[in-house]
Amino acid sequence: MKVSRIAAAGAAAGVTVLALSAPAFAHVTVQPEGTAAKGGYAVVDFKVPNERDNASTTKLEVSFPTDHPLASVMPEPMPGWKIEVTKSKLDKPLEMHGEKISEAVTKVTWTADGKGIEPGYFEKFPVSIGTLPEDTDQLVFKALQTYSNKEVVRWIEVPQKGQEEPDNPAPVLELSAASEDGHHDSAAGDDSGTGSADKASADTAASDSSDNTDTTARVLGIVGIVVGAAGVAYGVLAGRRRTDA
């Protein structure tokens, strides 16, 4: 009886945990493909899960931050989705590659021309953005998710540090620190040969380590053979002595 009660209590607790944790996995979120370093460029994915069992997600609207406008915003073409990019005039022009930019993308809208995101599925919406601001640690993107039954979920609540996560949090992109030498995305576009030299040094070190390991293994093997042979010889001599006695 006691075991049954414990099992029932455990099952109830498990259901409660799932019920409480499930919404956390259903948020619209944004994550970089790799890193999103300040002052550089990044490809970010807006991950959109379908929360409903009886409707499909047919539209996603993402508003881009106006307090830190991005001069370059390029969504990736997606089969089954029509993409609309909205630009607006900036109160303060941006400077990019020596040119002044007077407008920037303030919203990107994806509208399904097919089934959209069906129940039980999610989809990623990639966008190339830059240059990322250097005077903030994060960017907030407010999003609207529309379902085939005309329901609209507004992911617009800005999470606050030290407080509980809101019911409908806005997607937040965390920015990493810029590299110390001031270069961005150097791993993808380094023509100086430094990367090759570093790789060669690493390969040489790995080879030397491998050689040392092989040599040590051989020495230990030889020592083992010698010790084993000495043991056999000692056993034979001891046997002869007992026989002679």
Side-chain angles (χ1 to χ4, degrees):
M1 181 67 69
K2 185 179 293 185
V3 173
S4 299
R5 290 178 181 175
I6 294 174
V15 172
T16 302
V17 170
L18 288 175
L20 292 175
S21 61
F25 295 98
H27 299 163
V28 173
T29 57
V30 58
Q31 292 293 334
E33 295 183 5
T35 59
K38 297 178 182 180
Y41 289 79
V43 174
V44 299
D45 295 326
F46 292 94
K47 183 179 179 181
V48 182
N50 193 320
E51 296 182 295
R52 303 294 179 260
D53 297 329
N54 57 354
S56 298
T57 295
T58 56
K59 188 176 183 181
L60 174 67
E61 300 171 74
V62 176
S63 295
F64 283 69
T66 55
D67 54 343
H68 294 95
L70 300 169
S72 176
V73 175
M74 294 184 291
E76 180 178 322
M78 294 180 60
W81 294 87
K82 177 185 176 182
I83 305 175
E84 180 181 358
V85 178
T86 302
K87 293 184 177 181
S88 301
K89 290 286 185 180
L90 298 176
D91 295 334
K92 183 179 179 180
L94 297 174
E95 188 168 332
M96 181 178 179
H97 303 304
E99 297 183 4
K100 287 189 175 181
I101 307 297
S102 59
E103 64 178 13
V105 173
T106 52
K107 185 168 69 173
V108 177
T109 303
W110 292 264
T111 305
D113 55 14
K115 295 182 178 180
I117 308 174
E118 297 183 89
Y121 291 86
F122 75 91
E123 195 152 356
K124 291 182 179 180
F125 298 79
V127 183
S128 172
I129 59 175
T131 55
L132 298 174
E134 300 186 50
D135 57 349
T136 184
D137 295 325
Q138 63 181 28
L139 293 176
V140 178
F141 300 86
K142 297 183 178 182
L144 302 182
Q145 182 180 8
T146 302
Y147 286 90
S148 55
N149 60 3
K150 307 304 180 183
E151 177 189 4
V152 178
V153 181
R154 302 169 64 84
W155 304 100
I156 61 172
E157 300 177 63
V158 181
Q160 302 295 330
K161 291 184 178 180
Q163 298 183 13
E164 293 185 1
E165 186 177 60
D167 293 334
N168 296 89
V172 177
L173 177 66
E174 300 293 339
L175 304 181
S176 60
S179 58
E180 295 181 359
D181 59 4
H183 295 291
H184 308 287
D185 299 328
S186 58
D190 188 357
D191 297 328
S192 64
T194 304
S196 299
D198 291 342
K199 184 179 184 301
S201 297
D203 291 343
T204 301
S207 177
D208 291 343
S209 176
S210 177
D211 292 342
N212 291 337
T213 301
D214 291 343
T215 301
T216 302
R218 289 170 185 165
V219 171
L220 291 176
I222 294 172
V223 170
I225 293 172
V226 171
V227 172
V232 172
Y234 178 80
V236 172
L237 290 174
R240 287 180 178 177
R241 288 173 181 173
R242 285 196 298 269
T243 303
D244 294 340

